[in-house]
Amino acid sequence: MLHTIIFILLFGAGAGLFAWRVSKIRAAIALGQPDDRSGDTGTRLKNMTLVALGQQKMFKNWMPALMHLFIYVAFVITQV
């Protein structure tokens, strides 16, 4: 009987904490403003390709960039 009560209390606390965190995340997302994406599609696509697929921001220092490239390529190969 005591185990059941403890479980219910812990479960209620966990569910309450989860609901509180979800509400905080939703509030942070709601702060965002709409973005005007009606611009040069070619430039935006090129930028997305360089940053997301090409990992352009990683290549400022060559050693971490090389290590990151090995891991990135390994993940891409294993997912294909």
Side-chain angles (χ1 to χ4, degrees):
M1 182 71 163
L2 182 63
H3 296 298
T4 305
I5 294 172
I6 292 173
F7 173 77
I8 291 172
L9 289 175
L10 288 175
F11 182 80
L17 181 63
F18 176 76
W20 177 69
R21 289 302 300 160
V22 167
S23 70
K24 298 288 273 184
I25 291 170
R26 287 181 56 99
I29 291 172
L31 290 174
Q33 299 296 318
D35 191 18
D36 181 23
R37 297 183 183 166
S38 62
D40 185 14
T41 306
T43 304
R44 290 189 300 112
L45 187 59
K46 178 183 173 190
N47 189 32
M48 185 272 307
T49 304
L50 286 174
V51 173
L53 301 177
Q55 299 293 305
Q56 180 185 26
K57 292 184 178 183
M58 278 301 297
F59 291 98
K60 292 179 182 172
N61 297 326
W62 71 272
M63 189 58 157
L66 186 63
M67 296 299 175
H68 185 268
L69 179 66
F70 288 147
I71 294 171
Y72 176 72
V73 169
F75 274 112
V76 170
I77 289 173
T78 59
Q79 295 306 310
V80 172

